[in-house]
Amino acid sequence: MSQPDSRKLSLNTATVREKWTLDQIIEGCARHEIRGIAPWRDQVQALGLKESARLIRHHDLLLSGYCRGGMFPGSTPEERREKALDNRRAVDEALELGAPCLVLVVGGLPAGSKDLLAARQQVRDGLSELLDYARPLGMPLAIEPLHPMYAAERACVNTLAQANDLCDELGDEGLGIAVDLYHTWWDPQFQQQIERAGVDRLLAFHICDWLVPTTDMLLDRGMMGDGVIDIRSHRQAIEALGYSGLHEVEIFSRNNWWQRDPDEVLAICKQRHREFG
Amino acid sequence: MSQPDSRKLSLNTATVREKWTLDQIIEGCARHEIRGIAPWRDQVQALGLKESARLIRHHDLLLSGYCRGGMFPGSTPEERREKALDNRRAVDEALELGAPCLVLVVGGLPAGSKDLLAARQQVRDGLSELLDYARPLGMPLAIEPLHPMYAAERACVNTLAQANDLCDELGDEGLGIAVDLYHTWWDPQFQQQIERAGVDRLLAFHICDWLVPTTDMLLDRGMMGDGVIDIRSHRQAIEALGYSGLHEVEIFSRNNWWQRDPDEVLAICKQRHREFG
């Protein structure tokens, strides 16, 4: 099994956000020769959009995506309109930063609702509207299926098949999928659905590991190699289809990695990417 | 939307197991006029198989299933053989108790393995072997797809589609599916896959609720009505296909329901079943 190209490593800034601000993270990536980065909107806002873009260019970093838009469902038309406007701003920011795509966490059930079908319809409608804005501007939207354990609160698109269905329905131009192994490693249709997607829909590839046991549903993700995901096989399957983009490491880990010295975290990310990526 | 038939309510004994032994649970069900029960193997063993069967018959309770067999994958042939023998004993016990099916939680990754495909193959092989034993004896096996968050540790069959695939492959005689809404409510293919299953494969129907937030991946299930699952719609969909079996309430809840007086829990189960079931 072949090792991954180390130049493909990208850091999702959430991985070290507890201890570093965005400018520190950008400089950290440069120092550790991590060539890719995926910043979050709140961090970009804190540093300033222009300064974020300038620093990223100055250090010659590539973006693997911009985190994030989505959260389409809402209890009222007003709430959904507000989200729609905010999503347009996210597209504008992604353009300014030179991101290859805006990653979409599509949102779950509106407060008080048990109607998952309606939420999924709202996702479809919100996505369609955002596409009308993003397509002419040339900013691709990447639907990220989230693990079914987030169906209620974060994303009611929970399988690659659903993401493919949305691409089929809304058209491929400027639309694709962010494949995050944390969310999809269990999926019996993984191989079948990435083949169905094909290289043109594969806009992003995120990695980390599933710990056994997992002690927190949101904030206990593992470093590559510490869990049960066969990351290498999945990466090779994606690349066998022609994917040549970055490998983005995104680790939410309140009690472990977020507590460590970020320089140590980045060094270990690099090493584990070589070993298990 | 029509109310459920109250005579369909069944209690999975895990729901009150922290405070009551099996004989107390059986007597509690009788006292509360809950006509169905699904006992666990360790509780049956503690009370004695014959005494358990006698008490259940004495109180004229119906079983909705016997909990449980499965856990097929293992690191070594010896480990798998031991599990196979134990599963045969579970079939024998289910027969003695007059259970309508043995519920199967199929098991996850063997210790140290990252090979989910191999684990799924071991499930298929173990299930095939157990069928050879259970079919001539007339004890149906009910594959229970578990939520994908349990793929590593408890069950690598995570969708109704996988369970249907196994039934297709191994043959329908004496084989079917236990549909638990906690595990399947998020599945975009729910309706399609229960239709594919058809009434003959629908051997059991389990209910509880998905809490928002869920604070523990195993032990924070909700009472019907306290979460986001549209239980009634799903129950009606199952019954529209001809399912006429029991509605089994199974709640693992370390910090809430397991702490309460079981008489209170049973009374609330009945009320919530009427209201949300």
Side-chain angles (χ1 to χ4, degrees), chain A residues 109 114 116 120 147-149 151-153 159 162 185-186 188 210 212 214 217 227-230, chain B residues 109 114 116 120 147-149 151-153 162 185-186 188 210 212 214 217 227-230:
Chain A
L109 292 166
K114 299 186 185 191
L116 199 54
R120 284 170 173 158
H147 195 285
M149 70 184 173
E153 290 170 275
T159 61
Q162 278 178 284
W185 73 278
W186 62 273
W210 181 280
V212 173
T214 292
M217 284 171 65
V228 298
I229 303 177
D230 184 350
Chain B
L109 292 166
K114 300 187 183 191
L116 200 53
R120 286 170 173 159
H147 195 284
M149 71 184 172
E153 290 169 276
Q162 278 179 285
W185 72 278
W186 62 272
W210 181 281
V212 173
T214 292
M217 285 171 65
V228 298
I229 303 178
D230 184 350

mmCIF file of all heavy atoms in Angstrom, chain A residues 109 114 116 120 147-149 151-153 159 162 185-186 188 210 212 214 217 227-230, chain B residues 109 114 116 120 147-149 151-153 162 185-186 188 210 212 214 217 227-230:
data_model
loop_
_atom_site.group_PDB
_atom_site.id
_atom_site.type_symbol
_atom_site.label_atom_id
_atom_site.label_comp_id
_atom_site.label_asym_id
_atom_site.label_seq_id
_atom_site.Cartn_x
_atom_site.Cartn_y
_atom_site.Cartn_z
ATOM 1 N N LEU A 109 -32.760 19.210 11.965
ATOM 2 C CA LEU A 109 -34.163 19.544 12.169
ATOM 3 C C LEU A 109 -34.303 20.960 12.721
ATOM 4 O O LEU A 109 -33.566 21.334 13.638
ATOM 5 C CB LEU A 109 -34.793 18.572 13.168
ATOM 6 C CG LEU A 109 -34.964 17.126 12.732
ATOM 7 C CD1 LEU A 109 -35.275 16.245 13.952
ATOM 8 C CD2 LEU A 109 -36.063 17.001 11.697
ATOM 9 N N LYS A 114 -40.040 17.339 14.143
ATOM 10 C CA LYS A 114 -39.667 15.926 14.018
ATOM 11 C C LYS A 114 -39.740 15.495 12.566
ATOM 12 O O LYS A 114 -39.704 14.302 12.273
ATOM 13 C CB LYS A 114 -40.628 15.052 14.837
ATOM 14 C CG LYS A 114 -40.639 15.342 16.329
ATOM 15 C CD LYS A 114 -41.506 14.323 17.062
ATOM 16 C CE LYS A 114 -41.592 14.701 18.539
ATOM 17 N NZ LYS A 114 -42.181 13.632 19.353
ATOM 18 N N LEU A 116 -38.230 15.003 9.440
ATOM 19 C CA LEU A 116 -36.932 14.891 8.773
ATOM 20 C C LEU A 116 -37.072 15.048 7.258
ATOM 21 O O LEU A 116 -36.192 15.623 6.599
ATOM 22 C CB LEU A 116 -36.330 13.524 9.122
ATOM 23 C CG LEU A 116 -34.834 13.311 8.946
ATOM 24 C CD1 LEU A 116 -34.014 14.358 9.684
ATOM 25 C CD2 LEU A 116 -34.446 11.919 9.446
ATOM 26 N N ARG A 120 -35.140 17.825 4.995
ATOM 27 C CA ARG A 120 -34.348 17.475 3.810
ATOM 28 C C ARG A 120 -34.833 18.269 2.581
ATOM 29 O O ARG A 120 -34.029 18.641 1.725
ATOM 30 C CB ARG A 120 -34.409 15.952 3.580
ATOM 31 C CG ARG A 120 -33.520 15.235 4.586
ATOM 32 C CD ARG A 120 -33.667 13.719 4.627
ATOM 33 N NE ARG A 120 -32.630 13.164 5.507
ATOM 34 C CZ ARG A 120 -32.697 11.973 6.104
ATOM 35 N NH1 ARG A 120 -33.733 11.191 5.905
ATOM 36 N NH2 ARG A 120 -31.703 11.567 6.888
ATOM 37 N N HIS A 147 -22.170 12.178 9.707
ATOM 38 C CA HIS A 147 -22.547 10.920 10.360
ATOM 39 C C HIS A 147 -24.011 10.978 10.818
ATOM 40 O O HIS A 147 -24.456 12.010 11.310
ATOM 41 C CB HIS A 147 -21.620 10.684 11.550
ATOM 42 C CG HIS A 147 -21.656 9.289 12.073
ATOM 43 N ND1 HIS A 147 -22.703 8.802 12.832
ATOM 44 C CD2 HIS A 147 -20.802 8.256 11.929
ATOM 45 C CE1 HIS A 147 -22.463 7.537 13.141
ATOM 46 N NE2 HIS A 147 -21.322 7.172 12.606
ATOM 47 N N PRO A 148 -24.725 9.853 10.669
ATOM 48 C CA PRO A 148 -26.129 9.827 11.090
ATOM 49 C C PRO A 148 -26.360 10.259 12.538
ATOM 50 O O PRO A 148 -27.466 10.691 12.875
ATOM 51 C CB PRO A 148 -26.523 8.361 10.880
ATOM 52 C CG PRO A 148 -25.669 7.920 9.732
ATOM 53 C CD PRO A 148 -24.347 8.622 9.947
ATOM 54 N N MET A 149 -25.357 10.188 13.390
ATOM 55 C CA MET A 149 -25.578 10.630 14.775
ATOM 56 C C MET A 149 -25.755 12.152 14.860
ATOM 57 O O MET A 149 -26.139 12.666 15.910
ATOM 58 C CB MET A 149 -24.458 10.143 15.702
ATOM 59 C CG MET A 149 -23.117 10.784 15.514
ATOM 60 S SD MET A 149 -21.887 9.990 16.623
ATOM 61 C CE MET A 149 -20.370 10.775 16.041
ATOM 62 N N ALA A 151 -27.839 13.707 12.622
ATOM 63 C CA ALA A 151 -29.007 13.981 11.773
ATOM 64 C C ALA A 151 -29.937 15.027 12.381
ATOM 65 O O ALA A 151 -30.493 15.860 11.669
ATOM 66 C CB ALA A 151 -29.776 12.685 11.504
ATOM 67 N N ALA A 152 -30.116 14.993 13.689
ATOM 68 C CA ALA A 152 -31.061 15.919 14.309
ATOM 69 C C ALA A 152 -30.496 17.329 14.397
ATOM 70 O O ALA A 152 -31.194 18.311 14.149
ATOM 71 C CB ALA A 152 -31.438 15.429 15.709
ATOM 72 N N GLU A 153 -29.216 17.453 14.750
ATOM 73 C CA GLU A 153 -28.703 18.764 15.146
ATOM 74 C C GLU A 153 -27.826 19.464 14.121
ATOM 75 O O GLU A 153 -27.675 20.687 14.172
ATOM 76 C CB GLU A 153 -27.910 18.624 16.450
ATOM 77 C CG GLU A 153 -28.809 18.312 17.631
ATOM 78 C CD GLU A 153 -28.001 17.930 18.858
ATOM 79 O OE1 GLU A 153 -27.636 16.732 18.991
ATOM 80 O OE2 GLU A 153 -27.725 18.818 19.675
ATOM 81 N N THR A 159 -25.588 10.407 4.133
ATOM 82 C CA THR A 159 -24.909 9.387 3.333
ATOM 83 C C THR A 159 -24.402 10.007 2.031
ATOM 84 O O THR A 159 -24.932 11.011 1.543
ATOM 85 C CB THR A 159 -25.859 8.220 2.968
ATOM 86 O OG1 THR A 159 -26.943 8.723 2.190
ATOM 87 C CG2 THR A 159 -26.386 7.522 4.204
ATOM 88 N N GLN A 162 -27.176 10.232 -0.543
ATOM 89 C CA GLN A 162 -28.012 11.436 -0.510
ATOM 90 C C GLN A 162 -27.335 12.600 -1.212
ATOM 91 O O GLN A 162 -27.965 13.376 -1.927
ATOM 92 C CB GLN A 162 -28.286 11.853 0.939
ATOM 93 C CG GLN A 162 -29.403 11.129 1.628
ATOM 94 C CD GLN A 162 -29.516 11.629 3.059
ATOM 95 O OE1 GLN A 162 -28.706 11.273 3.910
ATOM 96 N NE2 GLN A 162 -30.500 12.469 3.326
ATOM 97 N N TRP A 185 -17.050 6.371 7.026
ATOM 98 C CA TRP A 185 -16.268 5.120 7.026
ATOM 99 C C TRP A 185 -17.137 3.877 7.215
ATOM 100 O O TRP A 185 -16.796 2.795 6.737
ATOM 101 C CB TRP A 185 -15.188 5.166 8.127
ATOM 102 C CG TRP A 185 -15.747 5.017 9.504
ATOM 103 C CD1 TRP A 185 -16.300 5.995 10.273
ATOM 104 C CD2 TRP A 185 -15.826 3.816 10.288
ATOM 105 N NE1 TRP A 185 -16.722 5.489 11.471
ATOM 106 C CE2 TRP A 185 -16.436 4.165 11.517
ATOM 107 C CE3 TRP A 185 -15.436 2.486 10.074
ATOM 108 C CZ2 TRP A 185 -16.671 3.219 12.525
ATOM 109 C CZ3 TRP A 185 -15.679 1.548 11.085
ATOM 110 C CH2 TRP A 185 -16.276 1.918 12.293
ATOM 111 N N TRP A 186 -18.246 4.008 7.916
ATOM 112 C CA TRP A 186 -19.130 2.884 8.230
ATOM 113 C C TRP A 186 -20.034 2.522 7.043
ATOM 114 O O TRP A 186 -20.658 1.459 7.063
ATOM 115 C CB TRP A 186 -20.040 3.267 9.403
ATOM 116 C CG TRP A 186 -20.892 4.430 9.012
ATOM 117 C CD1 TRP A 186 -20.562 5.762 9.122
ATOM 118 C CD2 TRP A 186 -22.148 4.391 8.340
ATOM 119 N NE1 TRP A 186 -21.549 6.538 8.555
ATOM 120 C CE2 TRP A 186 -22.538 5.722 8.076
ATOM 121 C CE3 TRP A 186 -22.999 3.349 7.941
ATOM 122 C CZ2 TRP A 186 -23.728 6.044 7.427
ATOM 123 C CZ3 TRP A 186 -24.181 3.675 7.291
ATOM 124 C CH2 TRP A 186 -24.533 5.015 7.052
ATOM 125 N N PRO A 188 -21.844 1.108 4.113
ATOM 126 C CA PRO A 188 -21.658 -0.083 3.273
ATOM 127 C C PRO A 188 -21.600 0.277 1.789
ATOM 128 O O PRO A 188 -21.093 -0.499 0.988
ATOM 129 C CB PRO A 188 -22.896 -0.935 3.560
ATOM 130 C CG PRO A 188 -23.546 -0.343 4.754
ATOM 131 C CD PRO A 188 -23.088 1.063 4.883
ATOM 132 N N TRP A 210 -11.753 7.344 14.076
ATOM 133 C CA TRP A 210 -12.875 7.015 14.976
ATOM 134 C C TRP A 210 -12.312 6.223 16.162
ATOM 135 O O TRP A 210 -11.843 5.095 15.989
ATOM 136 C CB TRP A 210 -13.929 6.183 14.248
ATOM 137 C CG TRP A 210 -15.112 5.841 15.107
ATOM 138 C CD1 TRP A 210 -15.185 4.849 16.048
ATOM 139 C CD2 TRP A 210 -16.375 6.507 15.136
ATOM 140 N NE1 TRP A 210 -16.426 4.857 16.647
ATOM 141 C CE2 TRP A 210 -17.170 5.868 16.106
ATOM 142 C CE3 TRP A 210 -16.929 7.590 14.431
ATOM 143 C CZ2 TRP A 210 -18.490 6.266 16.391
ATOM 144 C CZ3 TRP A 210 -18.238 7.976 14.716
ATOM 145 C CH2 TRP A 210 -19.001 7.320 15.685
ATOM 146 N N VAL A 212 -12.199 4.109 19.688
ATOM 147 C CA VAL A 212 -12.969 3.088 20.405
ATOM 148 C C VAL A 212 -12.433 2.997 21.826
ATOM 149 O O VAL A 212 -11.290 2.604 22.017
ATOM 150 C CB VAL A 212 -12.845 1.713 19.720
ATOM 151 C CG1 VAL A 212 -13.495 0.639 20.567
ATOM 152 C CG2 VAL A 212 -13.491 1.761 18.334
ATOM 153 N N THR A 214 -15.542 6.012 21.826
ATOM 154 C CA THR A 214 -15.702 7.451 21.598
ATOM 155 C C THR A 214 -16.489 8.000 22.779
ATOM 156 O O THR A 214 -17.589 7.540 23.056
ATOM 157 C CB THR A 214 -16.471 7.693 20.280
ATOM 158 O OG1 THR A 214 -15.661 7.279 19.182
ATOM 159 C CG2 THR A 214 -16.814 9.163 20.124
ATOM 160 N N MET A 217 -19.824 12.695 21.455
ATOM 161 C CA MET A 217 -20.303 12.570 20.072
ATOM 162 C C MET A 217 -19.741 13.650 19.160
ATOM 163 O O MET A 217 -19.708 13.467 17.948
ATOM 164 C CB MET A 217 -21.828 12.595 20.037
ATOM 165 C CG MET A 217 -22.420 11.277 20.505
ATOM 166 S SD MET A 217 -24.209 11.303 20.741
ATOM 167 C CE MET A 217 -24.786 11.577 19.069
ATOM 168 N N GLY A 227 -7.450 5.127 15.847
ATOM 169 C CA GLY A 227 -8.792 4.539 15.853
ATOM 170 C C GLY A 227 -8.920 3.388 14.882
ATOM 171 O O GLY A 227 -7.941 2.704 14.572
ATOM 172 N N VAL A 228 -10.133 3.182 14.400
ATOM 173 C CA VAL A 228 -10.436 1.981 13.617
ATOM 174 C C VAL A 228 -10.672 2.237 12.126
ATOM 175 O O VAL A 228 -10.991 1.305 11.381
ATOM 176 C CB VAL A 228 -11.676 1.248 14.191
ATOM 177 C CG1 VAL A 228 -11.408 0.781 15.617
ATOM 178 C CG2 VAL A 228 -12.920 2.132 14.136
ATOM 179 N N ILE A 229 -10.512 3.486 11.689
ATOM 180 C CA ILE A 229 -10.762 3.745 10.264
ATOM 181 C C ILE A 229 -9.548 3.345 9.438
ATOM 182 O O ILE A 229 -8.418 3.736 9.745
ATOM 183 C CB ILE A 229 -11.091 5.230 10.008
ATOM 184 C CG1 ILE A 229 -12.296 5.685 10.842
ATOM 185 C CG2 ILE A 229 -11.368 5.457 8.514
ATOM 186 C CD1 ILE A 229 -12.639 7.162 10.684
ATOM 187 N N ASP A 230 -9.791 2.563 8.398
ATOM 188 C CA ASP A 230 -8.729 2.187 7.466
ATOM 189 C C ASP A 230 -8.568 3.349 6.474
ATOM 190 O O ASP A 230 -9.062 3.316 5.350
ATOM 191 C CB ASP A 230 -9.126 0.898 6.744
ATOM 192 C CG ASP A 230 -8.021 0.405 5.825
ATOM 193 O OD1 ASP A 230 -7.035 1.144 5.605
ATOM 194 O OD2 ASP A 230 -8.150 -0.718 5.310
ATOM 195 N N LEU B 109 -16.211 -4.743 14.833
ATOM 196 C CA LEU B 109 -14.859 -5.143 14.434
ATOM 197 C C LEU B 109 -14.225 -6.018 15.511
ATOM 198 O O LEU B 109 -14.316 -5.700 16.699
ATOM 199 C CB LEU B 109 -13.986 -3.901 14.252
ATOM 200 C CG LEU B 109 -14.314 -2.972 13.081
ATOM 201 C CD1 LEU B 109 -13.588 -1.640 13.259
ATOM 202 C CD2 LEU B 109 -13.918 -3.623 11.769
ATOM 203 N N LYS B 114 -9.256 -3.225 11.583
ATOM 204 C CA LYS B 114 -9.870 -2.075 10.914
ATOM 205 C C LYS B 114 -10.610 -2.539 9.666
ATOM 206 O O LYS B 114 -10.993 -1.722 8.834
ATOM 207 C CB LYS B 114 -8.792 -1.070 10.490
ATOM 208 C CG LYS B 114 -7.972 -0.507 11.627
ATOM 209 C CD LYS B 114 -7.040 0.597 11.126
ATOM 210 C CE LYS B 114 -6.162 1.098 12.272
ATOM 211 N NZ LYS B 114 -5.435 2.329 11.928
ATOM 212 N N LEU B 116 -13.574 -3.595 8.080
ATOM 213 C CA LEU B 116 -15.020 -3.647 8.228
ATOM 214 C C LEU B 116 -15.645 -4.635 7.243
ATOM 215 O O LEU B 116 -16.617 -5.322 7.561
ATOM 216 C CB LEU B 116 -15.583 -2.234 8.016
ATOM 217 C CG LEU B 116 -16.972 -1.908 8.554
ATOM 218 C CD1 LEU B 116 -17.102 -2.251 10.026
ATOM 219 C CD2 LEU B 116 -17.281 -0.436 8.318
ATOM 220 N N ARG B 120 -17.959 -7.819 8.234
ATOM 221 C CA ARG B 120 -19.283 -8.065 7.647
ATOM 222 C C ARG B 120 -19.364 -9.465 7.028
ATOM 223 O O ARG B 120 -20.412 -10.119 7.072
ATOM 224 C CB ARG B 120 -19.611 -6.957 6.637
ATOM 225 C CG ARG B 120 -19.970 -5.658 7.361
ATOM 226 C CD ARG B 120 -20.073 -4.434 6.478
ATOM 227 N NE ARG B 120 -20.598 -3.308 7.294
ATOM 228 C CZ ARG B 120 -20.449 -2.020 6.996
ATOM 229 N NH1 ARG B 120 -19.797 -1.645 5.915
ATOM 230 N NH2 ARG B 120 -20.956 -1.091 7.789
ATOM 231 N N HIS B 147 -27.494 1.535 14.822
ATOM 232 C CA HIS B 147 -27.060 2.863 14.371
ATOM 233 C C HIS B 147 -25.576 2.833 13.980
ATOM 234 O O HIS B 147 -24.765 2.185 14.657
ATOM 235 C CB HIS B 147 -27.274 3.862 15.504
ATOM 236 C CG HIS B 147 -27.209 5.285 15.069
ATOM 237 N ND1 HIS B 147 -26.010 5.921 14.787
ATOM 238 C CD2 HIS B 147 -28.177 6.195 14.848
ATOM 239 C CE1 HIS B 147 -26.268 7.164 14.410
ATOM 240 N NE2 HIS B 147 -27.568 7.361 14.448
ATOM 241 N N PRO B 148 -25.225 3.554 12.904
ATOM 242 C CA PRO B 148 -23.826 3.568 12.457
ATOM 243 C C PRO B 148 -22.825 3.987 13.540
ATOM 244 O O PRO B 148 -21.652 3.635 13.451
ATOM 245 C CB PRO B 148 -23.852 4.592 11.314
ATOM 246 C CG PRO B 148 -25.225 4.453 10.742
ATOM 247 C CD PRO B 148 -26.123 4.228 11.941
ATOM 248 N N MET B 149 -23.265 4.652 14.578
ATOM 249 C CA MET B 149 -22.304 5.017 15.637
ATOM 250 C C MET B 149 -21.852 3.787 16.437
ATOM 251 O O MET B 149 -20.920 3.883 17.225
ATOM 252 C CB MET B 149 -22.873 6.108 16.550
ATOM 253 C CG MET B 149 -23.979 5.696 17.459
ATOM 254 S SD MET B 149 -24.609 7.165 18.378
ATOM 255 C CE MET B 149 -26.059 6.474 19.179
ATOM 256 N N ALA B 151 -20.967 0.949 14.747
ATOM 257 C CA ALA B 151 -20.360 0.070 13.736
ATOM 258 C C ALA B 151 -19.092 -0.603 14.239
ATOM 259 O O ALA B 151 -18.837 -1.763 13.931
ATOM 260 C CB ALA B 151 -20.063 0.858 12.456
ATOM 261 N N ALA B 152 -18.283 0.096 15.009
ATOM 262 C CA ALA B 152 -17.015 -0.475 15.465
ATOM 263 C C ALA B 152 -17.215 -1.496 16.581
ATOM 264 O O ALA B 152 -16.592 -2.550 16.589
ATOM 265 C CB ALA B 152 -16.076 0.635 15.948
ATOM 266 N N GLU B 153 -18.091 -1.175 17.519
ATOM 267 C CA GLU B 153 -18.115 -1.954 18.758
ATOM 268 C C GLU B 153 -19.255 -2.951 18.903
ATOM 269 O O GLU B 153 -19.159 -3.900 19.674
ATOM 270 C CB GLU B 153 -18.153 -0.997 19.954
ATOM 271 C CG GLU B 153 -16.848 -0.244 20.132
ATOM 272 C CD GLU B 153 -16.986 0.883 21.132
ATOM 273 O OE1 GLU B 153 -17.438 1.980 20.736
ATOM 274 O OE2 GLU B 153 -16.662 0.676 22.312
ATOM 275 N N GLN B 162 -28.756 -3.323 4.408
ATOM 276 C CA GLN B 162 -27.834 -4.434 4.672
ATOM 277 C C GLN B 162 -28.575 -5.656 5.184
ATOM 278 O O GLN B 162 -28.272 -6.791 4.807
ATOM 279 C CB GLN B 162 -26.801 -4.022 5.722
ATOM 280 C CG GLN B 162 -25.630 -3.241 5.215
ATOM 281 C CD GLN B 162 -24.726 -2.885 6.387
ATOM 282 O OE1 GLN B 162 -25.052 -1.990 7.173
ATOM 283 N NE2 GLN B 162 -23.615 -3.575 6.525
ATOM 284 N N TRP B 185 -34.147 5.706 12.448
ATOM 285 C CA TRP B 185 -35.024 6.846 12.153
ATOM 286 C C TRP B 185 -34.401 7.824 11.167
ATOM 287 O O TRP B 185 -35.101 8.513 10.433
ATOM 288 C CB TRP B 185 -35.371 7.598 13.453
ATOM 289 C CG TRP B 185 -34.222 8.375 14.019
ATOM 290 C CD1 TRP B 185 -33.208 7.885 14.783
ATOM 291 C CD2 TRP B 185 -33.963 9.768 13.836
ATOM 292 N NE1 TRP B 185 -32.314 8.888 15.085
ATOM 293 C CE2 TRP B 185 -32.760 10.051 14.525
ATOM 294 C CE3 TRP B 185 -34.618 10.810 13.169
ATOM 295 C CZ2 TRP B 185 -32.198 11.333 14.562
ATOM 296 C CZ3 TRP B 185 -34.060 12.083 13.198
ATOM 297 C CH2 TRP B 185 -32.867 12.326 13.900
ATOM 298 N N TRP B 186 -33.081 7.906 11.129
ATOM 299 C CA TRP B 186 -32.359 8.852 10.280
ATOM 300 C C TRP B 186 -32.249 8.346 8.835
ATOM 301 O O TRP B 186 -31.896 9.120 7.940
ATOM 302 C CB TRP B 186 -30.934 9.018 10.813
ATOM 303 C CG TRP B 186 -30.212 7.700 10.757
ATOM 304 C CD1 TRP B 186 -30.209 6.733 11.727
ATOM 305 C CD2 TRP B 186 -29.498 7.162 9.648
ATOM 306 N NE1 TRP B 186 -29.525 5.623 11.275
ATOM 307 C CE2 TRP B 186 -29.074 5.867 10.009
ATOM 308 C CE3 TRP B 186 -29.171 7.657 8.389
ATOM 309 C CZ2 TRP B 186 -28.341 5.048 9.146
ATOM 310 C CZ3 TRP B 186 -28.435 6.842 7.525
ATOM 311 C CH2 TRP B 186 -28.029 5.549 7.918
ATOM 312 N N PRO B 188 -32.444 7.599 5.197
ATOM 313 C CA PRO B 188 -33.228 8.131 4.077
ATOM 314 C C PRO B 188 -33.968 7.032 3.315
ATOM 315 O O PRO B 188 -34.926 7.316 2.610
ATOM 316 C CB PRO B 188 -32.188 8.788 3.164
ATOM 317 C CG PRO B 188 -30.930 8.855 3.952
ATOM 318 C CD PRO B 188 -31.008 7.849 5.048
ATOM 319 N N TRP B 210 -34.905 9.643 20.337
ATOM 320 C CA TRP B 210 -33.552 10.210 20.191
ATOM 321 C C TRP B 210 -33.561 11.610 20.819
ATOM 322 O O TRP B 210 -34.238 12.518 20.321
ATOM 323 C CB TRP B 210 -33.176 10.305 18.713
ATOM 324 C CG TRP B 210 -31.796 10.852 18.498
ATOM 325 C CD1 TRP B 210 -31.416 12.175 18.541
ATOM 326 C CD2 TRP B 210 -30.595 10.112 18.246
ATOM 327 N NE1 TRP B 210 -30.062 12.289 18.330
ATOM 328 C CE2 TRP B 210 -29.542 11.048 18.141
ATOM 329 C CE3 TRP B 210 -30.317 8.749 18.096
ATOM 330 C CZ2 TRP B 210 -28.214 10.655 17.884
ATOM 331 C CZ3 TRP B 210 -29.002 8.366 17.846
ATOM 332 C CH2 TRP B 210 -27.971 9.308 17.743
ATOM 333 N N VAL B 212 -32.233 15.288 22.063
ATOM 334 C CA VAL B 212 -31.389 16.385 21.600
ATOM 335 C C VAL B 212 -31.145 17.329 22.771
ATOM 336 O O VAL B 212 -32.082 17.941 23.257
ATOM 337 C CB VAL B 212 -32.069 17.162 20.453
ATOM 338 C CG1 VAL B 212 -31.270 18.410 20.098
ATOM 339 C CG2 VAL B 212 -32.216 16.265 19.224
ATOM 340 N N THR B 214 -28.006 14.352 22.856
ATOM 341 C CA THR B 214 -27.748 13.023 23.403
ATOM 342 C C THR B 214 -26.392 13.088 24.098
ATOM 343 O O THR B 214 -25.400 13.443 23.475
ATOM 344 C CB THR B 214 -27.716 11.975 22.273
ATOM 345 O OG1 THR B 214 -29.034 11.839 21.725
ATOM 346 C CG2 THR B 214 -27.253 10.622 22.795
ATOM 347 N N MET B 217 -23.436 7.950 24.108
ATOM 348 C CA MET B 217 -23.755 7.219 22.881
ATOM 349 C C MET B 217 -24.524 5.932 23.144
ATOM 350 O O MET B 217 -25.196 5.424 22.261
ATOM 351 C CB MET B 217 -22.473 6.918 22.101
ATOM 352 C CG MET B 217 -21.949 8.163 21.395
ATOM 353 S SD MET B 217 -20.318 7.964 20.666
ATOM 354 C CE MET B 217 -20.639 6.749 19.404
ATOM 355 N N GLY B 227 -38.031 13.147 22.470
ATOM 356 C CA GLY B 227 -36.987 13.417 21.480
ATOM 357 C C GLY B 227 -37.557 13.796 20.133
ATOM 358 O O GLY B 227 -38.658 14.360 20.051
ATOM 359 N N VAL B 228 -36.808 13.493 19.088
ATOM 360 C CA VAL B 228 -37.145 13.997 17.754
ATOM 361 C C VAL B 228 -37.650 12.930 16.781
ATOM 362 O O VAL B 228 -37.911 13.229 15.620
ATOM 363 C CB VAL B 228 -35.934 14.705 17.110
ATOM 364 C CG1 VAL B 228 -35.527 15.916 17.950
ATOM 365 C CG2 VAL B 228 -34.760 13.741 16.939
ATOM 366 N N ILE B 229 -37.809 11.695 17.251
ATOM 367 C CA ILE B 229 -38.274 10.657 16.327
ATOM 368 C C ILE B 229 -39.791 10.738 16.167
ATOM 369 O O ILE B 229 -40.522 10.783 17.157
ATOM 370 C CB ILE B 229 -37.881 9.243 16.808
ATOM 371 C CG1 ILE B 229 -36.373 9.143 17.001
ATOM 372 C CG2 ILE B 229 -38.370 8.190 15.802
ATOM 373 C CD1 ILE B 229 -35.907 7.787 17.523
ATOM 374 N N ASP B 230 -40.241 10.759 14.936
ATOM 375 C CA ASP B 230 -41.661 10.738 14.643
ATOM 376 C C ASP B 230 -42.117 9.272 14.701
ATOM 377 O O ASP B 230 -42.258 8.595 13.681
ATOM 378 C CB ASP B 230 -41.905 11.335 13.254
ATOM 379 C CG ASP B 230 -43.385 11.424 12.929
ATOM 380 O OD1 ASP B 230 -44.206 10.863 13.680
ATOM 381 O OD2 ASP B 230 -43.713 12.053 11.902
#
